[in-house]
Amino acid sequence: MAVFSFVVVSVFSTSGTATAAGAAQNAVKTQTRTVYIKQMKTSDGHVRITVDPIGWYVGKEADRKFKEREPEAFKEIGGAPDGYYITNDSKRTVSYQVASDAKVMMQIYDRTGKMEDIDLKWNEKVSLNKFKSIYRNTKLMDVREFPYHITIKNGQVVKIVQQFIP
């Protein structure tokens, strides 16, 4: 009986150690940033984006930042216009490879080439190839003027979400 409980404890201890080591090896670093996409290039079948990270504030945090940075305007209107505030203190850019299966969600863009058809469709999923086409099409609307929330996993962009701004 004593041998059996030793074996059981030993198996669980070894299993627990192996699981902890495996978890450490499989840990992934994921972060989300709000950016302006300054450039998109395809080279050797890989898409790379160059982004300008920005500060994105909403609600009370936007009001606080707006008041701090633009006190006279804050006195006049009492809060951040449209409930958000953007800061861009650095023109430093960063380049990332975009995963070929990255999820892309758009809010507004030129879908038909007709101004009257440009309207909001919240979180519309588009392929990365479609997004490349949308990004290049600046005839009626330039989507490069919108902020994007990008999710980076292990140094690669896995998700791009357009932020609508009125």
Side-chain angles (χ1 to χ4, degrees), residues 2 11 14 23 29 37 47 52 69 93-94 100 111 115 145 155:
V11 168
T14 303
K29 186 176 180 182
I37 299 175
V47 176
D52 178 8
R69 295 198 171 209
T93 60
V94 184
S100 60
R111 292 174 179 85
M115 184 61 87
E145 294 178 12

Side-chain angles (χ1 to χ4, degrees), residues 22-77:
Q25 289 176 350
N26 292 330
V28 291
K29 186 176 180 182
T30 302
Q31 57 184 314
T32 300
R33 293 191 170 179
T34 304
V35 302
Y36 287 117
I37 299 175
K38 300 307 248 178
Q39 188 175 62
M40 183 181 306
K41 288 186 176 181
T42 302
S43 177
D44 297 326
H46 299 286
V47 176
R48 289 195 74 78
I49 58 173
T50 301
V51 302
D52 178 8
I54 61 173
W56 172 257
Y57 304 92
V58 295
K60 290 181 182 183
E61 189 67 16
D63 291 341
R64 185 189 66 73
K65 191 59 88 168
F66 181 63
K67 182 178 181 180
E68 171 188 303
R69 295 198 171 209
E70 301 184 49
E72 293 305 314
F74 183 84
K75 285 179 190 176
E76 283 183 38
I77 60 176

Side-chain angles (χ1 to χ4, degrees), residues 106-121 124 134 137-143 146 162 164:
M106 299 295 291
Q107 315 310 321
I108 189 167
Y109 64 95
D110 176 6
R111 292 174 179 85
T112 66
K114 298 176 185 174
M115 184 61 87
E116 62 271 13
D117 290 340
I118 294 178
D119 62 346
L120 283 169
K121 290 186 182 178
E124 178 182 349
I134 293 166
N137 179 6
T138 60
K139 292 177 187 168
L140 296 178
M141 169 180 268
D142 189 349
V143 298
F146 288 86
Q162 180 190 41
F164 175 72

Side-chain angles (χ1 to χ4, degrees), residues 82-129:
D82 297 316
Y84 71 90
Y85 191 71
I86 296 172
T87 60
N88 193 4
D89 296 332
S90 170
K91 296 298 179 192
R92 176 185 66 87
T93 60
V94 184
S95 181
Y96 296 102
Q97 183 169 320
V98 180
S100 60
D101 62 346
K103 293 179 172 88
V104 181
M105 291 186 276
M106 299 295 291
Q107 315 310 321
I108 189 167
Y109 64 95
D110 176 6
R111 292 174 179 85
T112 66
K114 298 176 185 174
M115 184 61 87
E116 62 271 13
D117 290 340
I118 294 178
D119 62 346
L120 283 169
K121 290 186 182 178
W122 295 109
N123 295 322
E124 178 182 349
K125 294 177 184 172
V126 299
S127 69
L128 181 56
N129 281 335

